[in-house]
Amino acid sequence: MSTPGLSIGVIGGGIGGLSAALSLRAAGFDVHVYEQASALGEVGAGVQVSPNASRILHRLGLGPALARTGVEPLAMHQRRWDDGRTLLRTPLAERLRARFGFPHYQMHRADLLAALAAALPAERIHLGHRLVDVVDHGDVVEARFAGGQRAEVDVLVGADGIHSPVRAALFGPTQPRFTGCVAYRGLVPAERLEHLSLEVTAQIWMGPGRHFVHYFVAGRRLVNFVAVVEQDSWTRESWTDAGDVADALAAFDGWHPQLREILKAVDGTFVWALFDRAPLDRWSSGRVTLLGDACHPMLPFMAQGAAMAIEDGATLAACLADAGAAGSAADPAEALRRYEQLRLPRTARLQAMSAENKTRFHLPDGSDQHQRDALMAAGRTDFSFDAVAWIYEHDAGVL
């Protein structure tokens, strides 16, 4: 069998799974996506699609769809929690396009998911398929689903999130770790906030033990916010639940009036416990591999979680296609090992940087905070233009 004819099953119909399916299909593979839910959907609200991810999506033909609902921010604006003083303002929009060749979008996660799904033939997406077992027979992988459905594929990809059943099947069940942060998330109709004259920027407000992010999505019709608070434990039954706006307001008592106005304008909010996992030593076993949050879940403090999953799919497709071109298509396991060797160091670095930003964003006022602010003013921290170059200039589809 030649590699371009490989059948590939992708477990998970989120952003990572669908974008991987598109990259694999563009490379000539026979791809099917299996999603446990009865309909595709995203619980989250906003997502950042930086040039390293938009480069891939544009190549897949999604440029027009992204432009319809995506918002190109003028800058990444980092500010002090109480007086709103600018700590660092990194230009984006045209300056970013000029340097990296592709745009940075702020999007509603549902809009991005819909664009990805629309680009795949409907018969390639199988809903209501909850994975219960994975059996690698050596020359074929069998995915078994609740209800008795089965699928046999040459390669199986687990794009099924931080609680990945594919990961558990490969390496045994383990629990993700609570990071000591919860996030209140919500969407506010933009007209309710017209009196604030909000800039079209991604604004990050830093303060003691917490931070607040807001930006426009959905063609500037909505303002997305994420309010992150340190918390010792998580006792709810679900890692995402309905939140209380009053609790969020209390957590940001004394913060800049702009943030409190945003919170007061929302109809309702979700509260999420933020979990992560330590980097894995490997992602693959035989003909089975992982991508996205299934293998490298990270805190959202570098705005790279979705981008890394999109990159994973592009590199996976390139490695499998290259294996076929090299004439080593009999066993795709070597291509999967190459994929993880290429991806693991980059994603582990971003996992670590995202975790470090929990400390940097949440420093109490004092000497460490003054030192941080001085470094930011000098442009020597992440999100400054030069500091993100290694992230944004990367082309994950080129080996």
Side-chain angles (χ1 to χ4, degrees):
M1 179 186 296
S2 65
T3 296
L6 286 174
S7 62
I8 302 177
V10 178
I11 306 299
I15 290 169
L18 294 184
S19 60
L22 287 172
S23 287
L24 290 161
R25 183 170 164 80
F29 297 105
D30 177 19
V31 186
H32 288 264
V33 177
Y34 301 91
E35 164 58 40
Q36 67 176 353
S38 59
L40 295 177
E42 277 284 356
V43 178
V47 63
Q48 305 268 353
V49 183
S50 49
N52 49 311
S54 65
R55 168 182 289 109
I56 295 164
L57 299 180
H58 276 237
R59 188 178 293 152
L60 293 170
L62 272 67
L66 299 183
R68 278 195 294 272
T69 59
V71 177
E72 290 191 53
L74 300 175
M76 187 78 69
H77 190 186
Q78 300 185 72
R79 308 178 70 175
R80 181 174 161 80
W81 66 280
D82 52 357
D83 59 12
R85 174 164 50 89
T86 295
L87 302 176
L88 177 66
R89 184 182 175 94
T90 306
L92 300 177
E94 291 306 317
R95 281 194 60 187
L96 182 138
R97 278 178 176 260
R99 178 156 179 182
F100 301 111
F102 291 88
H104 183 119
Y105 295 111
Q106 300 168 167
M107 298 194 69
H108 193 302
R109 297 183 74 93
D111 289 338
L112 177 55
L113 192 74
L116 293 167
L120 271 175
E123 66 272 15
R124 296 279 165 172
I125 304 175
H126 307 274
L127 302 174
H129 280 64
R130 181 173 64 83
L131 187 77
V132 295
D133 198 10
V134 175
V135 181
D136 190 341
H137 295 289
D139 59 343
V140 69
V141 180
E142 182 183 359
R144 298 175 179 174
F145 303 96
Q149 305 105 317
R150 301 187 179 200
E152 288 191 348
V153 293
D154 296 309
V155 174
L156 189 72
V157 181
D160 45 351
I162 191 170
H163 300 289
S164 168
V166 178
R167 176 187 174 125
L170 291 184
F171 306 120
T174 58
Q175 292 299 314
R177 59 190 180 192
F178 177 56
T179 63
C181 289
V182 298
Y184 293 90
R185 302 173 184 255
L187 292 163
V188 181
E191 64 267 18
R192 296 184 187 175
L193 302 174
E194 286 181 352
H195 63 289
L196 297 178
S197 300
L198 296 176
E199 285 187 310
V200 184
T201 58
Q203 297 194 29
I204 305 173
W205 300 70
M206 302 181 201
R210 59 209 65 205
H211 73 279
F212 194 105
V213 180
H214 63 85
Y215 51 85
F216 286 93
V217 298
R220 304 189 190 182
R221 295 187 302 277
L222 297 170
V223 173
N224 173 73
F225 72 82
V226 184
V228 178
V229 180
E230 291 185 13
Q231 183 171 299
D232 291 335
S233 62
W234 179 255
T235 57
R236 296 172 185 261
E237 293 182 2
S238 172
W239 62 293
T240 174
D241 209 341
D244 190 328
V245 175
D247 289 342
L249 281 166
F252 287 86
D253 185 36
W255 282 53
H256 194 278
Q258 177 172 298
L259 310 184
R260 296 181 59 77
E261 286 294 305
I262 293 172
L263 287 172
K264 290 175 183 176
V266 72
D267 290 325
T269 182
F270 285 95
V271 60
W272 299 55
L274 299 183
F275 288 86
D276 70 359
R277 295 181 185 270
L280 288 168
D281 294 328
R282 59 193 179 101
W283 298 353
S284 308
S285 177
R287 291 170 173 258
V288 185
T289 195
L290 305 170
L291 68 77
D293 283 352
C295 49
H296 52 72
M298 60 187 72
L299 287 167
F301 303 161
M302 284 293 297
Q304 284 295 306
M308 288 300 102
I310 293 167
E311 283 191 10
D312 287 346
T315 300
L316 176 62
C319 286
L320 287 167
D322 189 62
S328 58
D331 183 1
E334 182 58 38
L336 300 187
R337 284 192 290 270
R338 184 185 183 192
Y339 152 70
E340 71 178 36
Q341 288 166 2
L342 289 171
R343 293 298 301 158
L344 207 157
R346 179 172 169 84
T347 57
R349 181 179 177 185
L350 276 160
Q351 280 181 283
M353 292 178 70
S354 298
E356 289 166 4
N357 269 352
K358 173 189 171 184
T359 299
R360 187 170 74 84
F361 287 177
H362 296 177
L363 287 175
D365 289 345
S367 59
D368 288 344
Q369 167 255 322
H370 293 154
Q371 183 179 11
R372 176 203 68 190
D373 295 354
L375 287 171
M376 292 176 71
R380 296 204 302 272
T381 60
D382 47 21
F383 292 120
S384 60
F385 212 63
D386 290 332
V388 297
W390 72 276
I391 304 174
Y392 290 177
E393 67 193 6
H394 182 68
D395 190 340
V398 176
L399 300 180

